Amino acid sequence: MRETVRREVIYLWYYFDVQLRQIFRYWVWGMVLGSAVSVFLKDRIHNTFRSLGEKRLGAFGIVIASALGIASPLCMYGTIPIAASFSKSGIQDDWLAAFMMSSILLNPQLIIYSAALGREALLVRGVSCFVCGVVAGLLIRMFYRRKSFFDFHGFEEPVSHDTDPDILLRFFKNLGRNIKATGPYFLIGIFLSAVFQRYVPQDAMTSLFGGNEAWGVLMAATIGVPLYACGGGTIPLLQAWLSDGMSLGSAAAFMITGSATKITNLGAVKIVLGVKRFLLYFVYVMSFAFLTGLVTNIMIL
């Protein structure tokens, strides 16, 4: 019995160590870039978005807003308060929807993490998140042009923690908070991927999430809702699943629903949207993820 346990620990450590070596540098560079953008560029990005309110860009402003959302280093919980301040400064709801949607789905740090999945996965994630923001903005422009979609009552602009007068010290403090926030999820993700690689047969992943089948994409979109806790933590899992036969479309669907429906942040989204519009948000995310997965599989295969 003791020998069996020891052998299993050795196997798990082998899988853990292999994937840690493969993905560790992406996590490190992702944190460095994320902290650099937060400290040196975040205010410039947000002020650029605020300045759009003074221009008559029409629907084209939605495209710019979605791109700026991806450039913003904020996660979902940080995006909502800053969006409240944008709303107070006069930014219209369709632009806000595009900015918030793409910002929730992707940020500079997560882009570096996603590079560990390969060029195709990175491209699919980047394009799909940008398009998801644009489509969200266009839908708000079409159906909520004469009424408000968001209710930011009670939300104030978040207090910045990057206030140290020494800019380098400010950066390293931000990096330290970043490591503390993402490190545990990253290690848990690698451990779970090691467990999957050791105990879940490769053909099981292929039969469930592989091929060009709609069922696999739908399943991946669905499990993204409860399983996704942190972008850095899910990258090791996705890397293992893709190597075991998960289709790229299923991975894309998982990444979209997971990012947009993180359980820890859904409460804030519900407060901003209300019950009816929250349900519309959920249906939109699931539908877009499902369609993205199907289109990705068709184009790749």
Side-chain angles (χ1 to χ4, degrees):
M1 178 65 180
R2 183 177 298 177
E3 182 62 28
T4 300
V5 172
R6 179 176 174 275
R7 185 171 60 250
E8 291 304 313
V9 170
I10 291 174
Y11 277 126
L12 287 174
W13 172 251
Y14 169 76
Y15 288 118
F16 184 95
D17 181 60
V18 167
Q19 190 162 42
L20 181 63
R21 292 171 184 271
Q22 291 175 343
I23 204 171
F24 182 73
R25 67 183 184 276
Y26 294 101
W27 178 63
V28 171
W29 284 113
M31 287 191 304
V32 170
L33 177 62
S35 292
V37 173
S38 291
V39 172
F40 303 117
L41 296 175
K42 179 177 67 178
D43 290 341
R44 184 174 298 180
I45 292 168
H46 293 164
N47 289 335
T48 298
F49 187 46
R50 281 193 179 92
S51 69
L52 294 182
E54 305 169 1
K55 301 178 172 140
R56 297 182 178 180
L57 298 174
F60 183 66
I62 294 172
V63 177
I64 300 176
S66 186
L68 289 174
I70 291 176
S72 174
L74 298 178
C75 61
M76 179 191 287
Y77 206 79
T79 296
I80 293 175
I82 197 68
S85 73
F86 291 154
S87 181
K88 288 180 181 178
S89 66
I91 299 296
Q92 55 201 57
D93 278 3
D94 53 348
W95 294 6
L96 281 176
F99 179 90
M100 291 173 66
M101 190 76 253
S102 62
S103 180
I104 285 169
L105 293 175
L106 195 59
N107 57 51
Q109 186 165 324
L110 197 50
I111 289 174
I112 301 299
Y113 291 164
S114 302
L117 302 177
R119 292 182 182 178
E120 283 188 340
L122 177 60
L123 179 62
V124 167
R125 185 166 208 177
V127 172
S128 63
C129 291
F130 172 72
V131 173
C132 189
V134 172
V135 173
L138 291 174
L139 289 173
I140 299 304
R141 186 177 182 86
M142 290 172 58
F143 296 106
Y144 282 84
R145 192 159 194 160
R146 292 182 175 83
K147 52 185 175 179
S148 177
F149 185 76
F150 300 105
D151 179 10
F152 292 113
H153 179 73
F155 282 91
E156 300 293 337
E157 185 169 354
V159 178
S160 175
H161 296 286
D162 300 316
T163 56
D164 196 288
D166 187 323
I167 194 167
L168 286 179
L169 190 56
R170 194 187 314 165
F171 167 76
F172 284 113
K173 284 182 176 180
N174 186 290
L175 184 60
R177 292 194 300 271
N178 207 346
I179 294 172
K180 185 178 179 180
T182 64
Y185 291 108
F186 175 70
L187 293 176
I188 290 171
I190 293 179
F191 173 74
L192 291 176
S193 71
V195 171
F196 270 95
Q197 289 179 78
R198 173 60 181 156
Y199 299 112
V200 178
Q202 182 173 341
D203 57 356
M205 293 300 297
T206 303
S207 62
L208 187 59
F209 299 118
N212 192 25
E213 298 178 1
W215 174 250
V217 174
L218 181 61
M219 284 293 295
T222 303
I223 66 169
V225 177
L227 284 186
Y228 197 103
C230 169
T234 53
I235 294 299
L237 281 171
L238 283 168
Q239 188 184 56
W241 291 346
L242 284 167
S243 67
D244 283 346
M246 185 184 214
S247 72
L248 187 53
S250 293
F254 177 90
M255 288 187 283
I256 291 172
T257 58
S259 301
T261 61
K262 286 171 64 175
I263 300 298
T264 53
N265 295 327
L266 282 181
V269 176
K270 184 175 176 294
I271 292 172
V272 169
L273 299 181
V275 175
K276 180 181 177 181
R277 285 165 294 176
F278 175 77
L279 291 175
L280 290 175
Y281 168 81
F282 197 84
V283 170
Y284 170 69
V285 167
M286 293 296 293
S287 301
F288 188 89
F290 180 64
L291 290 173
T292 296
L294 292 181
V295 170
T296 299
N297 279 345
I298 291 172
M299 292 181 67
I300 296 298
L301 295 177

